[in-house]
Amino acid sequence: MITVSNVSVFFSGEPLFSGLSLIINKRDRIGLVGRNGAGKSTLLKLITRELSPDEGLVLNPSSASIGYLPQEMQINSDISVVEEVNKAFEEVNALESHIRDLNTELLSRTDYETESYIKLAQKLTEANERFYLLGGKSRAADAEKVLLGLGFDRYEFDKPVNTLSGGWKMRIELAKLLLRRPDLILLDEPTNHLDILSIQWLEDYLKNYPGGVIIVSHDRAFLDNATNRTVEVIMGRIYDYKCSYTEYVAQREQTMSSQIAAFDNQQKEIKDIEAFIERFRYKATKAKQVQSRIKKLEKIERITPDDADNSAMVFSFPPAPRAGKVIYSAENLNKSFGEKHVLKSISVNVLRNDFVAFVGKNGMGKTTLSRIIMGELSHDNGNSELGHNVKIGYFAQNQAQMLDGEKTVFETIDDIATGDMRPRVRSLLGNFLFSGETIEKKVKVLSGGEKARLALAKMLLEPVNLLILDEPTNHLDMRSKDILKNALLHYDGTLIIVSHDRDFLHGLTNKTIEFRNHKVFEHLGDVYDFLSTRNIESFSSLNTQSDVSSEKKQSSSDNKLAWEQRKERERLRRKIRSRIEKAEEEIISIEEQISELDTILQNPDPEKDMTPVYTQYQDLKSALQKVEEEWENYSLELEEFEEEE
């Protein structure tokens, strides 16, 4: 359908793409992935002709219609939601008027056998076919279906668009794009503006979409469910696999391993041939063999392993200070903004070492409660109380925008670092992929992903025992999300996380709090247990549930007991891991002391009594053996613990 042929794009003289080629077929479901800044959004703009390549061609021989939803856009409209969405039917409405005109003209004519009459009739047939293809007969029903699927309630259809938040305005633009039914849909990070239920609905919609789809996303679950082809942009080149993202990762790793093995073997062969040539180059008796080896060397087709960008964040959260058993509690808490009620008589308890996910439709109060816990917002009435010695680290949804754009990367951290962290600022920034000249960049020129990494770095400046993360993954690539998740899994404090990323939440949290209709509903387990408990396979199945049944308790007592047991197992796992890490730290410390004594004992002072040194040396050796045995026992215990699962 569309061909990208040998395309190159340069920025400031440096190539972003070089000789890139790609064919997009009519029914493709492509997941376009890659690190932040790799050029994914640029490639979408090349396809839409919003950008022109410096070299090469982008061909659309069939003149296929293309619909594009960028990551962000300015939306200003005074009309209602449904009126704005109905703008998607401009082509349909024009076709309907055209069909009426054609019918009127045909009815007025009697020259049925003439060529002009036959051509007019053919135009009417084509217009009708296009009208039905675009859903002309079901416009109102389709608009309602898409709006409901994307999370709007019917009473919101008549709301003025300008009264909505940016995220809801983006949903309207997505609805308009879907209702236009272009031949190719391009979506750049669409899940950033959707909640979990809307993401599931969109997955199902795209699976049955009659045209092609290209999705830029860092949401692994969304890509796996909505795509069947993966194109990754790496260092100006693309790698194309006909499979979903997770399968692609496995195949790509296997391909890279095979390439490296083949490269190593070839290098050994080349080295042996070159050694033979060099050894016998000047021996007349070996001249024939040398020439044979030279020809063989020239004919070898050199293997070049694919380029790989292996840069990644490296960090862990500082140990959490001790806090009381109850980290946060709310009872009959209410919060309104003017006449808009957000939270009505809610009660919440968060205990020490809970890992809690806040989920639900946007605007239901997840961020509001997070800010109340933080102390950034006051509640109207009811009780809201932090526990004893609770120290909070907060990553706001707009954390990246809250950074001072005029400061450099280094100044952003250095200005607030205190104590032991001051001399470690450069090292900390290096762990978040800021080094060399990049630490002198002003924040305002950073990409969304770079700002998100910088905001995360700020959180490591002092130990906290309650992390509140509001949509921390929105601008992180796959690898950065995995590293953040791994760091959180090893965090020994309490976590509250607002997120719609199912893959990120899976296995991370042990409690899910759903925000719905100004209330909260607690579910034991992670996000997939929550979805399973509510029996949500699609948005349509959610609509069939009665309001009464949807308010009932969602977990059986057996399920609750099972999750209490899993919670206790997770606590034990963390305890074992903590002991292993402590033992490793002791081993390093003792080995350093032994190394210092080794230096002294290798050059003893003849005028000093070395007996205390020998005694200390033996004591340290014994202590090292004991700690190593403890480390081994704890490691075996963890291994057996995990084998039981």
Side-chain angles (χ1 to χ4, degrees):
M1 185 170 66
I2 293 175
T3 302
V4 178
S5 178
N6 204 31
V7 161
S8 297
V9 175
F10 300 91
F11 286 132
S12 302
E14 294 296 322
L16 178 64
F17 300 133
S18 182
L20 184 148
S21 295
L22 178 69
I23 294 176
I24 303 160
N25 301 305
K26 185 176 181 180
R27 285 279 298 167
D28 274 342
R29 299 286 184 274
I30 298 174
L32 183 60
V33 300
R35 301 293 295 271
N36 291 332
K40 303 183 297 295
S41 297
T42 300
L43 181 54
L44 294 187
K45 291 175 181 177
L46 289 171
I47 294 170
T48 62
R49 305 291 182 89
E50 188 175 327
L51 286 178
S52 297
D54 295 307
E55 296 174 359
L57 297 170
V58 179
L59 304 173
N60 185 358
S62 61
S63 298
S65 57
I66 299 174
Y68 174 44
L69 185 75
Q71 282 191 45
E72 303 290 344
M73 56 192 301
Q74 294 296 323
I75 302 161
N76 188 26
S77 176
D78 293 323
I79 60 179
S80 70
V81 169
V82 71
E83 287 173 325
E84 183 65 32
V85 167
N86 282 333
K87 288 182 179 180
F89 300 117
E90 288 176 353
E91 183 182 354
V92 175
N93 295 335
L95 273 171
E96 189 173 46
S97 177
H98 183 49
I99 289 168
R100 280 197 301 266
D101 293 341
L102 289 173
N103 275 318
T104 301
E105 186 175 350
L106 282 171
L107 287 172
S108 67
R109 294 176 60 166
T110 57
D111 53 334
Y112 309 122
E113 303 298 330
T114 64
E115 185 178 347
S116 63
Y117 186 92
I118 293 171
K119 285 184 177 179
L120 196 62
Q122 181 62 32
K123 285 183 180 179
L124 177 60
T125 301
E126 292 172 355
N128 274 314
E129 287 176 355
R130 181 70 178 165
F131 182 76
Y132 282 103
L133 179 65
L134 295 177
K137 287 294 185 182
S138 56
R139 279 166 284 183
D142 288 345
E144 181 179 34
K145 174 186 173 183
V146 170
L147 284 172
L148 290 173
L150 292 177
F152 287 91
D153 290 315
R154 286 185 176 85
Y155 72 84
E156 296 175 304
F157 288 5
D158 294 324
K159 279 188 174 182
V161 173
N162 277 345
T163 64
L164 303 177
S165 67
W168 285 100
K169 289 178 179 178
M170 289 298 291
R171 293 190 195 210
I172 292 172
E173 291 304 308
L174 176 56
K176 288 161 63 177
L177 188 153
L178 298 178
L179 290 167
R180 287 191 188 106
R181 301 189 186 183
D183 298 311
L184 176 64
I185 289 177
L186 308 179
L187 302 177
D188 196 348
E189 297 288 3
T191 62
N192 282 357
H193 311 290
L194 303 177
D195 55 75
I196 289 173
L197 303 183
S198 299
I199 292 171
Q200 287 186 312
W201 177 88
L202 182 59
E203 286 170 2
D204 292 336
Y205 186 94
L206 294 176
K207 285 176 188 175
N208 300 310
Y209 188 71
V213 179
I214 300 180
I215 301 168
V216 174
S217 180
H218 298 309
D219 186 326
R220 185 181 280 104
F222 181 62
L223 288 174
D224 281 345
N225 291 328
T227 66
N228 54 21
R229 179 181 169 192
T230 302
V231 174
E232 183 167 18
V233 184
I234 302 177
M235 303 181 75
R237 299 174 63 187
I238 63 170
Y239 299 89
D240 193 346
Y241 284 69
K242 289 179 171 56
C243 57
S244 62
Y245 180 78
T246 297
E247 188 178 347
Y248 158 74
V249 171
Q251 290 189 26
R252 179 90 174 100
E253 288 178 356
Q254 185 176 356
T255 300
M256 290 288 288
S257 297
S258 299
Q259 286 181 344
I260 291 170
F263 174 78
D264 290 341
N265 289 334
Q266 188 183 73
Q267 290 299 303
K268 184 179 183 302
E269 180 187 8
I270 290 171
K271 187 176 180 181
D272 290 343
I273 294 172
E274 289 175 339
F276 182 91
I277 294 170
E278 186 62 30
R279 182 179 179 186
F280 298 110
R281 181 186 297 274
Y282 303 109
K283 289 196 175 183
T285 57
K286 296 287 186 180
K288 189 174 181 179
Q289 292 95 320
V290 168
Q291 287 303 314
S292 175
R293 296 295 199 284
I294 291 173
K295 289 179 180 178
K296 183 178 180 180
L297 195 62
E298 290 173 349
K299 290 179 180 179
I300 289 177
E301 189 173 337
R302 303 298 175 109
I303 296 171
T304 304
D306 291 338
D307 294 330
D309 185 356
N310 294 315
S311 58
M313 295 189 300
V314 180
F315 76 98
S316 59
F317 290 98
R322 184 71 176 172
K325 182 178 180 181
V326 178
I327 298 297
Y328 174 75
S329 63
E331 187 174 358
N332 295 323
L333 184 145
N334 293 273
K335 179 62 183 178
S336 299
F337 294 94
E339 296 182 357
K340 181 181 179 182
H341 298 288
V342 179
L343 300 172
K344 293 182 180 179
S345 300
I346 69 162
S347 295
V348 172
N349 279 303
V350 178
L351 305 180
R352 185 176 62 236
N353 297 131
D354 272 350
F355 272 37
V356 184
F358 283 2
V359 302
K361 290 170 60 175
N362 294 347
M364 288 293 105
K366 304 185 296 294
T367 297
T368 298
L369 182 57
S370 300
R371 294 180 64 195
I372 289 173
I373 296 172
M374 265 294 298
E376 284 190 355
L377 276 180
S378 60
H379 56 290
D380 298 335
N381 48 59
N383 294 319
S384 174
E385 187 174 354
L386 277 179
H388 173 67
N389 198 38
V390 173
K391 298 180 180 179
I392 302 176
Y394 183 45
F395 185 97
Q397 190 173 145
N398 61 339
Q399 187 77 41
Q401 284 70 45
M402 294 167 62
L403 299 171
D404 187 341
E406 294 303 320
K407 286 187 177 181
T408 66
V409 169
F410 180 79
E411 289 168 344
T412 299
I413 302 299
D414 188 59
D415 287 356
I416 57 176
T418 58
D420 294 340
M421 287 304 302
R422 286 202 61 80
R424 296 168 54 195
V425 169
R426 291 181 185 275
S427 174
L428 174 64
L429 288 171
N431 290 343
F432 284 84
L433 306 183
F434 296 106
S435 59
E437 295 179 359
T438 60
I439 68 171
E440 300 303 328
K441 279 186 177 180
K442 287 200 172 183
V443 171
K444 64 183 179 183
V445 304
L446 299 179
S447 68
E450 288 172 325
K451 288 178 181 177
R453 295 203 310 269
L454 185 59
L456 284 173
K458 287 181 65 178
M459 297 186 65
L460 271 63
L461 292 175
E462 59 179 347
V464 298
N465 46 31
L466 172 59
L467 282 174
I468 303 177
L469 309 181
D470 193 350
E471 302 288 7
T473 65
N474 271 0
H475 296 286
L476 296 179
D477 56 44
M478 296 283 194
R479 189 179 302 177
S480 297
K481 286 200 304 182
D482 289 343
I483 291 167
L484 173 59
K485 182 175 180 177
N486 184 62
L488 290 171
L489 285 169
H490 289 85
Y491 175 59
D492 60 353
T494 303
L495 172 69
I496 295 174
I497 182 165
V498 180
S499 180
H500 54 253
D501 190 321
R502 289 158 294 169
D503 180 74
F504 186 77
L505 291 176
H506 180 45
L508 177 62
T509 57
N510 56 20
K511 184 188 295 184
T512 302
I513 294 180
E514 179 194 9
F515 289 68
R516 174 163 39 96
N517 298 330
H518 316 296
K519 302 285 187 181
V520 296
F521 304 87
E522 183 178 313
H523 307 263
L524 293 174
D526 74 3
V527 64
Y528 283 108
D529 297 292
F530 154 66
L531 293 173
S532 175
T533 303
R534 289 204 60 195
N535 193 27
I536 299 171
E537 294 182 354
S538 66
F539 193 83
S540 59
S541 68
L542 175 64
N543 285 339
T544 62
Q545 298 176 11
S546 68
D547 291 337
V548 175
S549 64
S550 66
E551 299 293 331
K552 288 182 179 179
K553 187 70 176 177
Q554 301 297 325
S555 318
S556 66
S557 58
D558 288 341
N559 190 40
K560 181 175 181 180
L561 177 61
W563 273 107
E564 288 293 344
Q565 291 171 344
R566 282 183 61 178
K567 180 180 175 182
E568 177 62 18
R569 285 185 65 81
E570 187 59 33
R571 186 188 69 80
L572 290 172
R573 186 204 310 274
R574 289 181 188 166
K575 186 176 180 181
I576 296 170
R577 283 178 173 165
S578 176
R579 288 175 173 174
I580 290 172
E581 290 171 0
K582 185 177 179 182
E584 288 172 345
E585 290 172 359
E586 288 185 24
I587 288 171
I588 292 170
S589 175
I590 294 171
E591 286 179 338
E592 287 175 350
Q593 295 177 63
I594 289 174
S595 178
E596 291 175 2
L597 293 182
D598 275 333
T599 303
I600 295 172
L601 292 173
Q602 286 171 7
N603 299 283
D605 187 343
E607 297 181 0
K608 286 187 178 180
D609 181 9
M610 302 301 292
T611 303
V613 179
Y614 287 118
T615 302
Q616 184 183 4
Y617 186 83
Q618 292 302 321
D619 289 344
L620 286 171
K621 283 284 190 179
S622 299
L624 179 61
Q625 183 179 355
K626 182 180 178 182
V627 177
E628 285 178 338
E629 287 175 357
E630 289 179 359
W631 179 87
E632 186 176 350
N633 291 334
Y634 289 139
S635 297
L636 288 171
E637 186 178 350
L638 179 61
E639 186 176 329
E640 292 170 358
F641 186 90
E642 292 181 338
E643 283 178 355
E644 292 174 4
E645 297 186 333

